[in-house]
Every structure is written in C-alpha cells, then in structure tokens.
Amino acid sequence: MTDPNTNPLLDDWTPPFGAPPFDLVRAAHFLPAFDLALAAHDAEIEAIATDSAPADFANTLAALERSGALLGRVRRVFWTLSSAQADEDLRTIEPEVSARLTRHGTAISHDRRLFDRVATVWRGRTTLGEEQLRLVENVYRGFVSGGALLDPQAKARFAAIDERLSDLSVRFGHQVLAAGTDWSLLLDEAGVAGLPDSVRAAAARRAEQAGEDGFRFTLDRGQVEDVLSFVTNRAVRETIWRGFTGRCDGGAHDTWPILTEIVTLRQERAHLLGHASYAEEKLEDSMARTPEAAMALLDRVWAPALRRAGDEQAALEALAGAPIEAWDWRFYAEQLRRDRHALDGAAVKQHLTLDAVRAAAFDCAGRLYGLHFDERTDIPGWHPDVRAWAVSDAGGDAVGLLYTDYLARPEKHGGAWMGSLRVQERLDARVLPMVYTVANFAKAPPPEPTRLSIDEARTLFHEFGHALHALLSDVTYPSLSGTAVARDFVEFPSKFMEHWIVSAEVLEGFGVPAALIEAIGRADAFGQGFATVELAGSSIVDLAIHMTTDAIPDVRAIEAATLDRLGMPAAIGMRHRLPHFTHVFDGGYAAAYYSYLWSEVLDADAFAAFTEAGDMFAGDLAERFRREILERGDTRDAMADFVAFRGREPDERHLLLERGLLG
C-alpha cells in the first residue's frame, strides 16, 4: 500500500535505470506532484529571465534545457498512464492537468523578458556550433509560434484559444475512448462462421469475462479487421463495419461539435500569428515546408493509386459475382489472396506468435545495430502485461530501457504508439533513454499464445522503429533528442523498420514455408491500391480542412467536397473518419497526417540502398543509417540527414515502384 506521507512521483527513482515505480503510483499523486513541479519550473524560468548577466547561450539556452526536469518527469508518467492505463480517476483529472500545462506553457512563451534574452542569443547565433545553432533556432521559432511577438490583447486571446483547444482535445479523446468501450457485438456460432480458431477462442474468452455466452467483439481495429476478413455472414460484417466507421458520428458520443470548434480555433490561432491557414503555420518547419507541397505529393500518388484500386475492386467483384460494399472488401480480398496468391491469412497467423515477432524485432536490431535486449522482471510496469527490457550495445554497455505493452484492454486508447519516459541527453552527464511501445493486439486465452496477422506484425515492427530512433539518439540537448524531429520525418525510421518483418530472411525464422512467404509478397502487391487510397484519402481531407482560410470553416462541407473531388470509392473510404480521427484531434498530426506517406518516400528510397547492396543486414549501410539518421535527433535539418545517408535528396519513384503504382 502507498504511504500517504510520500509521493512516489517526487521521490528519487533508484531502481535499475531510475525507472518510475509504477507499482506505487496512483492517480491521487499527480495533482500534488504537478503543484510542486510547476512551481519549481516557474522559479527556474524566473531565475533565467531575471539574470543580470548579459544573455548568452550558456545562461539562457542551456539553462532553459536544464529547467523543468521534475515537471518533465511527472508529465511523461502521467501521459503514459492516461493513454495506456486510463482508469476513471485518471480520466477525471486529465482535463485539469491538460489545462494547467497549457497555461504554464503559454505563460513561458509570452514572457517578454525571457523572449528578449532568447532573441539576443538568436541574433548572435552565427558564432555557434551546429547543434547549438539548431537549438537556438528551434527555441526562437517556438517562442514566435507560441505568440511571443503578439500585442497584449492578442496574447490574451491566443492564451484563451490554446487553453480551450487543450480542453477540447481531451474531450475528443475521451469521447472516442468511451464510444469504443460502450460498443460491443455478441455473436453466436453462426455469426462467427469462417473465423480462425484462435480468433474465435479470444472472442469466447471476452464473452466469458463479461458473463456472456457466445463470442464478443469490440471496436478494436484488430478485432474489426478479423471479422471483416473472415466472417462469412455479410450482415455481421456490415454491423461491425458500421459500428467502427460510425463511431462518434452522432449519438451520445458525437464529436462533430468538438472537432468543428477545434478546426475553427486552430484557424483563428493561425490568423493571429499572421498565417493564412493553420496548415501553413503547422508545416512551416516541416520537410514539406508548405501545405501546397504536401498536397502536391498526395495528388501525384492519388491518381495511380486510384487506378490500381479500381483494378483491385474489379477483381474482387468478379470473385464475388456482384458489386461489393466497404464491408465486403477485406472478405473477398482475403479469398482472392488465398485462391489466386495462395496466401492464407489464418495460416500466416499460426506462425506469428507475439513473443516470436517481438524476438524477431530484437534480433533484427541486434544484427543491424549490435543491440541486445534482456528482460528485467525487477522493473515494474503499469500493468501486468507490460514487460521491461534492458537494452545494451555490442560491447555490453547500457543503451536504455524499453517497455513493451502490446495487448488490448478497455483502459487503453486504441491504436499503437511509442513514447518516452526519459529522453537521451548528455548536457551535464550521459542520460539513458527510457521508451515504450504500445499496441492493441487481442489477447489469446491461456495457454494459447497470442498470434498476430502480418499487418499486426508490421505494427509491432513500426513502433519498434520509433523506439530505436529514441534509444539510439546521441545528442547533447534534451529538446533535440530522439524522435523530436519534423512530423513528416518522424515516421521515416518506423516505416523503414517494417521492411524486415515481411522479408524472406526474417519470415523463415518463424518457420513460415517458402511458398507462403512468396504468397505474402504477391498479396502485398495486390492490395497496394486499397492501402494507398485509404491512407491518402484521410491525409488529403486532413490537409483540406486545415488549409481553409475561412474564419468559421464548414468542416462537413469541406470533407464532402474533398471526397467528391477525389472520387473516393465508396467500397474503400477513409482509413480514419473525422469524428474519431484521434491522430488529428487528440494527437500531433493535425495538418500532418500526410507525413506517413511523405515518410514512405524517404523509407522506400533508403531501403532501396539495402536491396541494391543485396543484403538487408549490410553492416556499412546499417552503421551509416544509425549515424546519420537514428543518432542525430533534431540536430540538423531533416533533409540534410537524408542526404548524408543516401548521398542525394529522396526520389519518390522508389515509393511508387514499391507500391506497384508505376506503369
């Protein structure tokens, strides 16, 4: 039991790696911890702002980097739990925490004394080294985009907008989580006809835990896609498809009013800063630089993807003997893969157990970068399903700590993500990173191992790629560390890592027969039209609603007009509809969901270097990728990182070739 006179969030974390004592942390600890952490940071900021010595890099920029250590520690633990283990007590205090952090950040951005000192260093930046220069430019730009140059009246409005946006974002996330939690589908034997045995067993276990007879399904994406891919009953497929795509589109958890206000306030915020649109503001420091450049890439990919998707739909309808709807696509695609390409998704799943896929990811990191992963059962996680791994290099030296949390549960937000509990730095001493990866794979009933589809295995490798980006960071300043890079660059190392899980060399290690491995490759090529249209459609709508210059945008009308312009096939649809698009309305991807496709341009080109070498574990290339991409954090422009690895700027033809969209 927790000692009421102590707060584990404020104690020294002395277990191995200085890891958080998650077994002791309770929701009640957070507000008192935030009280002290915010006060401590206020005092640190005041000392920097009132320093009588002339502003220089050491007493201003480096001092800012050192400040807020306690606040950062408490904040990271809170957001880890609020996303991966959000019990009722945490959800209750999340709006207050979010509002307080927003007010605190705005107050710092609007402190004229502090900004004047930063500006002084910025004006004299030509004498600084590369990493120091990058830090100064980032901090100066952050102050400007935070409203530092606004007049007092505009600053007050700006602060009110940011606080309201913070509240709306939390409310949006809560509504999406609640919509998923409140919905379930109970099926009988006839309803689950066609499902693989392992999926049936997991559904039966969920029903049993709820005190029901039958097979229970939720709106977890993995469960939804299992039903859509395998269940022979078309009405069942339609029911779960409508439940999944219709989340928060009206009803008790309607998010349209929330997201409309979010888009409106974002636009007003952008106008205050002198930008024509929120997208223009958001992409100012991205690789794309402008929303028009990002949209141009999407448009170039859209046309060939739409043609390929049309060919795929025709093949599926020939198999079905009738026109297909959105709830039919995956079902007939699975049949076509099995019949034409000899790919049986259920057979693949039999080889891909969760433990084996995680071990394969670790093995790939070992072969590429010399890393070793040793489980630490003495380090507590935030749930019994969480496992901790000490990461070391080829020489046995510690690299960091990795938590893995892969199994679905009601307290989790949907999807998959990576986060940091501590970032790498060496400002005053070497600080090792602590990172985590989270997913929502359906847990098999014991003693059955949890099995993954090939797409779920890709997800694990994707998030592991993010984790490697954070673990292998080697920078001086914490705000430049690891994944703190441009939004349309951050997905590059994670997309890059996906190539290994679908390679013959890795799949052979699972005992997947050669014929099945070849079938995976053929089936992947078949589905690229669908996958690209689904992803690009969501990306284009996201950009369109944030490129508007209207003061009060009609979000529904923009979405409808955009989909009409695109000719979005009804049998595909957006990967994420706006009412539950948490990436955009409760995450960092607003006006930037395109970054997944942009990063794939980088990823496909970078991986081509390995295929050209004829060795996907080529040591010289892996070392260069580590040195020029993974270790660099945000210490230089992202394009410079890519050019340092590849010797030139990226060529999107590699993406089009990889996705079979050329010709």
Side-chain angles (χ1 to χ4, degrees):
M1 192 68 182
T2 304
D3 184 342
N5 297 313
T6 65
N7 189 326
L9 293 168
L10 302 173
D11 294 339
D12 290 333
W13 294 347
T14 55
F17 290 92
F22 283 110
D23 53 334
L24 302 178
V25 174
R26 303 292 180 268
H29 292 130
F30 280 104
L31 292 182
F34 274 118
D35 285 340
L36 288 175
L38 287 165
H41 196 209
D42 282 339
E44 291 166 338
I45 293 299
E46 184 67 16
I48 298 168
T50 59
D51 191 339
S52 58
D56 60 24
F57 185 90
N59 66 22
T60 303
L61 275 299
L64 281 171
E65 287 292 288
R66 292 186 178 94
S67 71
L70 178 60
L71 178 59
R73 183 170 79 161
V74 175
R75 184 184 68 242
R76 289 190 180 104
V77 173
F78 181 80
W79 292 125
T80 300
L81 294 179
S82 70
S83 59
Q85 192 60 28
D87 62 23
E88 175 99 19
D89 292 337
L90 275 174
R91 288 197 297 273
T92 298
I93 65 172
E94 187 176 353
E96 180 178 352
V97 169
S98 181
R100 290 175 67 179
L101 291 175
T102 299
R103 287 195 297 270
H104 178 72
T106 301
I108 293 173
S109 294
H110 291 181
D111 188 324
R112 187 71 200 197
R113 303 165 303 167
L114 190 60
F115 176 64
D116 285 345
R117 293 183 67 84
V118 169
T120 296
V121 181
W122 178 77
R123 285 191 292 270
R125 64 192 182 279
T126 55
T127 61
L128 299 175
E130 181 183 49
E131 193 171 348
Q132 291 180 326
L133 177 61
R134 184 71 171 175
L135 179 65
V136 170
E137 290 177 339
N138 282 1
V139 172
Y140 179 82
R141 186 170 54 246
F143 269 92
V144 173
S145 64
L149 295 177
L150 299 177
D151 62 47
Q153 183 177 356
K155 278 184 176 179
R157 178 56 186 159
F158 189 95
I161 289 173
D162 271 3
E163 187 165 348
R164 179 61 175 165
L165 283 171
S166 170
D167 177 61
L168 290 168
S169 175
V170 170
R171 286 172 55 196
F172 186 92
H174 283 182
Q175 290 289 62
V176 175
L177 183 63
T181 301
D182 290 353
W183 193 99
S184 68
L185 180 64
L186 185 66
L187 298 173
D188 58 15
E189 284 283 352
V192 297
L195 277 178
D197 290 343
S198 60
V199 179
R200 286 166 51 95
R205 181 169 179 264
R206 288 191 295 271
E208 182 182 353
Q209 290 174 333
E212 302 163 333
D213 293 325
F215 305 88
R216 184 172 183 265
F217 292 88
T218 72
L219 294 182
D220 171 75
R221 181 177 284 274
Q223 295 176 42
V224 170
E225 293 191 353
D226 279 336
V227 171
L228 293 176
S229 298
F230 297 108
V231 166
T232 58
N233 187 314
R234 191 168 188 250
V236 168
R237 298 200 307 270
E238 180 179 358
T239 297
I240 202 164
W241 181 87
R242 291 193 182 281
F244 185 71
T245 60
R247 285 171 296 159
C248 303
D249 187 6
H253 303 295
D254 184 17
T255 59
W256 279 108
I258 299 173
L259 72 88
T260 297
E261 187 177 356
I262 287 174
V263 175
T264 301
L265 290 174
R266 284 172 176 168
Q267 181 67 330
E268 183 182 353
R269 187 185 191 277
H271 287 166
L272 284 172
L273 294 174
H275 295 285
S277 69
Y278 179 77
E280 181 181 280
E281 173 201 338
K282 184 68 177 287
L283 272 63
E284 191 174 32
D285 61 347
S286 67
M287 287 190 77
R289 302 299 182 197
T290 68
E292 290 77 16
M295 188 67 87
L297 170 68
L298 293 169
D299 285 341
R300 289 196 302 273
V301 171
W302 179 262
L306 191 62
R307 287 194 299 272
R308 175 56 63 89
D311 294 341
E312 292 170 1
Q313 183 170 350
L316 297 181
E317 290 180 342
L319 180 63
I324 62 170
E325 301 285 355
W327 48 89
D328 299 318
W329 189 293
R330 287 177 175 83
F331 178 75
Y332 287 106
E334 179 65 27
Q335 287 193 26
L336 187 144
R337 291 186 185 103
R338 186 171 58 246
D339 298 343
R340 180 184 296 182
H341 303 302
L343 175 62
D344 183 342
V348 175
K349 245 184 171 179
Q350 290 304 304
H351 296 280
L352 302 182
T353 66
L354 173 58
D355 287 347
V357 175
R358 175 174 46 214
F362 290 172
D363 179 66
C364 287
R367 296 176 67 182
L368 288 166
Y369 310 118
L371 300 181
H372 299 276
F373 298 79
D374 297 302
E375 186 166 12
R376 297 296 299 258
T377 57
D378 56 332
I379 297 178
W382 49 90
H383 186 274
D385 289 337
V386 179
R387 298 167 71 177
W389 310 84
V391 187
S392 56
D393 63 19
D397 292 328
V399 170
L401 186 67
L402 171 68
Y403 295 88
T404 58
D405 180 9
Y406 292 135
L407 300 173
R409 53 182 178 270
E411 301 85 7
K412 264 188 189 179
H413 286 206
W417 61 94
M418 166 268 166
S420 292
L421 286 158
R422 186 175 65 209
V423 299
Q424 176 273 330
E425 60 161 295
R426 42 182 166 77
L427 177 55
D428 295 313
R430 184 175 180 234
V431 175
L432 298 179
M434 288 190 289
V435 306
Y436 56 90
T437 59
V438 181
N440 275 277
F441 306 137
K443 186 175 184 178
E448 274 290 305
T450 294
R451 302 181 189 278
L452 306 183
S453 68
I454 191 67
D455 285 340
E456 289 173 326
R458 276 196 189 93
T459 295
L460 188 151
F461 267 64
H462 179 98
E463 299 307 332
F464 184 62
H466 281 307
L468 291 176
H469 198 182
L471 287 165
L472 294 177
S473 174
D474 186 18
V475 306
T476 303
Y477 304 103
S479 68
L480 302 179
S481 183
T483 60
V485 296
R487 180 62 68 183
D488 50 8
F489 188 79
V490 74
E491 297 297 333
F492 166 30
S494 51
K495 295 297 296 183
F496 179 73
M497 199 66 204
E498 292 181 30
H499 290 279
W500 275 263
I501 185 56
V502 293
S503 70
E505 191 167 347
V506 172
L507 288 172
E508 285 168 357
F510 296 103
V512 180
L516 200 51
I517 293 172
E518 292 173 7
I520 289 171
R522 291 193 301 268
D524 265 5
F526 171 79
Q528 288 303 318
F530 173 90
T532 308
V533 165
E534 186 187 46
L535 175 65
S538 291
S539 303
I540 292 170
V541 169
D542 166 44
L543 262 180
I545 64 173
H546 290 104
M547 286 175 73
T548 178
T549 57
D550 296 338
I552 305 177
D554 186 337
V555 180
R556 284 182 189 261
I558 296 170
E559 178 193 50
T562 303
L563 294 176
D564 183 63
R565 174 181 73 82
L566 293 173
M568 171 65 79
I572 298 180
M574 297 164 62
R575 180 166 179 80
H576 302 284
R577 293 197 59 235
L578 292 180
H580 52 259
F581 206 165
T582 52
H583 283 79
V584 168
F585 299 111
D586 185 31
Y589 284 84
Y593 194 66
Y594 79 90
S595 62
Y596 283 94
L597 203 55
W598 188 280
S599 293
E600 282 195 50
V601 171
L602 309 178
D603 141 59
D605 195 341
F607 187 70
F610 287 81
T611 57
E612 290 160 6
D615 180 4
M616 66 185 310
F617 291 100
D620 58 333
L621 290 174
E623 172 56 31
R624 190 158 78 241
F625 190 83
R626 174 176 180 162
R627 183 179 66 250
E628 304 296 354
I629 305 295
L630 299 178
E631 290 183 356
R632 294 292 306 208
D634 192 32
T635 57
R636 66 183 174 195
D637 182 77
M639 185 62 77
D641 286 354
F642 186 89
V643 170
F645 172 71
R646 199 65 167 108
R648 55 165 173 74
E649 293 195 355
D651 181 352
E652 68 189 53
R653 289 184 71 259
H654 290 285
L655 171 66
L656 298 175
L657 283 167
E658 188 176 280
R659 286 187 170 243
L661 302 179
L662 280 181

